[in-house]
Amino acid sequence: MSRSAIKLHTPAGRKALDKMMHEAERRAQEQADPKSSKSSRPAAAGAGEVRIIGGQWRRTRLPVARQPGLRPTPDRVRETLFNWLGQDLGGWRCVDAFAGTGALGFEAASRGAASVFMNELDAGLAQQLQGLKTRLRAEQVQIVRGDAIGFLRQRAPLSVDLVLLDPPFGADALFEPALAATHACLAGGGLAYLEAPRQWSGEELAALGFALHRHMKAGAVHAHLLRKVESES
């Protein structure tokens, strides 16, 4: 079924879209590692590492698993993002929806976020994130394994201050539903970070209830900081 044929205003249409988006995310993960959806073994190590840039865990190294398609947010982009956010996230409620290495979520926790949910579909990566949480004694961090779109839709309305969206490389079908689910759970004036292979236009974002607050391009990465726009009643 094509996306254009789905009637989102009907229960059947929403169910069909849920199924399509879940399958898209699962396929993206399997393309990165064909065994990932069926294996609970830890993610392969030794491919590299990234570092937490600021906060209480500054300079802490995080492993990057040997998985094609797993591309952590570059240090330069993360540094710029948290400059945009103001460095101190004290009291913020955050969700890292496609956590991967955890670079974004642990960075937010390091800078004082009150709570950070880190969602990851891949079993090995989720296990690796749990190990990092234990190592850092990051009590404000909760690791969840599952579908990112479904996880976002389960958040209570207006319950999140910042959502971090960095879908698997090549999973373009996930962007729109992820942004729609993000809009529903964000508090008034809440922020979303979107990392994508292209720049999203103001018109595209407005249709999903967002305004572009900041943008930068670094190599093949387009980093967007979005602000939720309240609909007029």
Side-chain angles (χ1 to χ4, degrees), residues 75-90:
D75 287 358
R76 174 190 167 196
V77 175
R78 275 188 294 122
E79 183 173 13
T80 298
L81 168 62
F82 285 92
N83 285 338
W84 289 343
L85 295 172
Q87 301 290 339
D88 182 4
L89 303 188

Side-chain angles (χ1 to χ4, degrees), residues 58-77:
R58 183 181 180 186
R59 298 192 181 92
T60 298
R61 298 177 185 273
L62 306 178
V64 176
R66 194 188 305 276
Q67 288 195 16
L70 180 64
R71 302 188 179 189
T73 301
D75 287 358
R76 174 190 167 196
V77 175

Side-chain angles (χ1 to χ4, degrees), residues 69-148:
L70 180 64
R71 302 188 179 189
T73 301
D75 287 358
R76 174 190 167 196
V77 175
R78 275 188 294 122
E79 183 173 13
T80 298
L81 168 62
F82 285 92
N83 285 338
W84 289 343
L85 295 172
Q87 301 290 339
D88 182 4
L89 303 188
W92 289 35
R93 301 160 296 174
C94 305
V95 170
D96 187 356
F98 302 90
T101 64
L104 290 172
F106 282 119
E107 190 78 49
S110 180
R111 295 170 187 258
S115 66
V116 180
F117 281 96
M118 301 176 68
N119 182 86
E120 173 54 47
L121 182 63
D122 181 87
L125 290 175
Q127 185 175 345
Q128 181 172 276
L129 292 170
Q130 187 63 50
L132 290 168
K133 166 185 160 68
T134 300
R135 169 187 158 196
L136 295 171
R137 300 180 181 178
E139 295 182 0
Q140 73 273 52
V141 172
Q142 298 295 322
I143 310 300
V144 180
R145 184 190 170 204
D147 165 63

Side-chain angles (χ1 to χ4, degrees), residues 182-202:
T182 293
H183 189 275
C185 71
L186 275 178
L191 297 168
Y193 169 70
L194 175 66
E195 190 168 313
R198 67 172 179 87
Q199 182 174 1
W200 280 59
S201 71

